[in-house]
Amino acid sequence: MRNVDYHLHSYFSADSEENPRNQVLEAIKYGLEEICFTEHHEFHFPGLSFNLDVSAYFDEIQSLQKEFEGKIKIKKGLEIGLDSRFKEEIDLFVNEHDFDFVIGSIHEIDDIEVYEDTNYYKNKSKITAHREYFEHLLECIDTFKCFDSLGHLDYVARYGPYQDKLIDYDKFEGIIHQIIKKLVENGKGIEVNTRLFQFPKAQIFYQYLLTEYAMADGKIVTLGTDNHKADRTLDRIQEAQHLIQSAGFSEISTFSQRILDK
Ligand code: HSO
Ligand code: ZN
Ligand code: ZN
Ligand code: ZN
C-alpha cells in the first residue's frame, strides 16, 4: 500500500505555524513517498479567518516540488469548509484554482464552531451533539459536489466535554449508512483521519465505516494525519493502512489535478 499522507497543514492555514518545508523533511524522514498539503479555506468562520492565499501557497509548493524532486511527491490540496450559505462562493473558489485534491470538511455549523469550549456542545447531550453533526454532514453532501473526499467524519468526537467523547457507532448506524450511500452515489471518497487513532474505539469506528463503504461499493479511500506540526511521533499511518486493507481495499487513493491516480 502507498505510504502517503493526504491531510496536512502548514502556515498557509490560519491554525498552523509550521513551515511547509519542515513538513516535507519530516515526511521524508518517516519514509513517506507522497504527501498532499490540504490547507484550510473557510468562508466566514467564527473567531478566526481561514483565508487561503492561493498564489503564495502554490508558489511555495512548486518550489518545494523542484527542490525535492525524486525524493518525495508533493501535491497541492485544499481542505474546504462546507457551508451551504456560501455554496456559490465555495464552488467558484474550488474550481478556479488548480488544486490536486480537495477535502470537504465541516468545522462549524451556523457560525458555531465545533471545538472545545464553544457553544456547540453547551447543554447538549453527547448523542445530540453527535447526531446534529451527522445530520449536517448529510445535508452538505447533498449540496456540495466540489470535493473529492469527505474529511474526518468523526471530527465531532475530538472536542466534546464528555467522559467518553468517542462516537458510539451503533447509535448512528442509520444516518451513517445514509451518508455513505450518498457519498458513493456522488462518486466521493472517504477519509481515514488518524487524529484519534490513539483510542482503540476510534479505530473500531473507522473499521465499521470502511466496511459499510466497501459494501456500498465505494472505491475511494484517502488517508491523512491532519498534522498541523511537523511532528510524526504520534503518526498511525501503518495502523490505518492495515484497517483499509482489512476492509477489502487494495490501495489508498491519491490524486493529481483532481483526477484519481491509477
Ligand atoms: N481545529 C479546527 C480549527 C481550529 N479552531 C483551530 C480553532 N483553532 C480545524 O483544524
Ligand atoms: Zn486546522
Ligand atoms: Zn478539518
Ligand atoms: Zn485539517
Side-chain angles (χ1 to χ4, degrees):
M1 285 208 137
R2 290 174 178 137
N3 263 321
V4 300
D5 186 349
Y6 257 53
H7 191 149
L8 77 160
H9 298 272
S10 74
Y11 53 42
F12 289 103
S13 294
D15 60 350
S16 169
E17 286 169 7
E18 195 58 85
N19 188 316
R21 194 167 182 278
N22 293 337
Q23 289 282 29
V24 173
L25 290 171
E26 188 74 359
I28 292 171
K29 194 168 112 192
Y30 272 75
L32 299 187
E33 59 196 81
E34 177 171 340
I35 55 172
C36 183
F37 286 95
T38 50
E39 307 294 358
H40 287 291
H41 188 77
E42 304 262 353
F43 285 87
H44 202 269
F45 200 79
L48 245 178
S49 170
F50 282 101
N51 207 350
L52 178 57
D53 180 347
V54 180
S55 86
Y57 171 44
F58 281 10
D59 282 352
E60 196 146 334
I61 298 299
Q62 274 152 16
S63 126
L64 291 170
Q65 286 168 336
K66 279 203 196 100
E67 181 181 351
F68 292 98
E69 200 180 345
K71 299 207 170 68
I72 189 167
K73 266 197 214 166
I74 305 167
K75 300 281 176 69
K76 43 193 204 309
L78 169 72
E79 182 177 14
I80 187 75
L82 303 177
D83 184 332
S84 322
R85 297 171 300 175
F86 304 102
K87 157 89 174 135
E88 277 168 33
E89 293 92 324
I90 288 171
D91 285 344
L92 190 68
F93 180 85
V94 172
N95 290 321
E96 75 183 348
H97 302 292
D98 188 18
F99 295 110
D100 284 308
F101 169 65
V102 177
I103 297 175
S105 292
I106 292 175
H107 303 111
E108 55 81 34
I109 299 175
D110 297 330
D111 275 339
I112 299 174
E113 190 178 0
V114 181
Y115 201 54
E116 50 208 7
D117 304 322
T118 69
N119 280 336
Y120 183 75
Y121 298 98
K122 215 173 178 177
N123 303 321
K124 243 181 232 169
S125 65
K126 173 176 152 181
I127 193 159
T128 304
H130 288 189
R131 197 193 325 102
E132 285 181 7
Y133 188 77
F134 293 134
E135 283 167 353
H136 199 72
L137 271 180
L138 191 58
E139 256 178 62
C140 282
I141 298 165
D142 249 340
T143 307
F144 290 98
K145 306 285 171 284
C146 65
F147 65 93
D148 302 308
S149 189
L150 183 71
H152 45 54
L153 209 145
D154 62 340
Y155 184 76
V156 71
R158 286 189 194 171
Y159 306 112
Y162 318 109
Q163 200 184 21
D164 167 17
K165 60 194 176 124
L166 299 172
I167 297 159
D168 298 305
Y169 190 94
D170 53 322
K171 296 202 170 80
F172 303 101
E173 266 177 278
I175 186 145
I176 290 175
H177 179 81
Q178 283 176 275
I179 291 171
I180 286 172
K181 192 166 151 250
K182 205 153 274 176
L183 283 173
V184 175
E185 275 170 15
N186 294 351
K188 302 304 177 193
I190 198 159
E191 174 188 78
V192 177
N193 187 295
T194 63
R195 173 68 73 91
L196 294 172
F197 263 42
Q198 75 262 38
F199 305 109
K201 187 171 166 180
Q203 292 200 26
I204 293 166
F205 176 80
Y206 274 106
Q207 197 180 330
Y208 284 122
L209 209 60
L210 288 167
T211 307
E212 274 275 319
Y213 186 75
M215 280 196 322
D217 213 24
K219 303 285 185 211
I220 302 166
V221 178
T222 63
L223 165 56
T225 58
D226 215 348
N227 281 347
H228 288 61
K229 288 193 183 117
D231 176 1
R232 296 198 165 268
T233 47
L234 291 175
D235 262 23
R236 302 272 179 155
I237 287 181
Q238 282 184 358
E239 280 155 283
Q241 287 170 327
H242 213 84
L243 273 186
I244 294 166
Q245 196 155 37
S246 309
F249 298 92
S250 59
E251 197 44 281
I252 293 160
S253 299
T254 58
F255 287 79
S256 305
Q257 294 178 317
R258 308 292 312 279
I259 305 208
L260 198 57
D261 293 329
K262 290 265 172 289

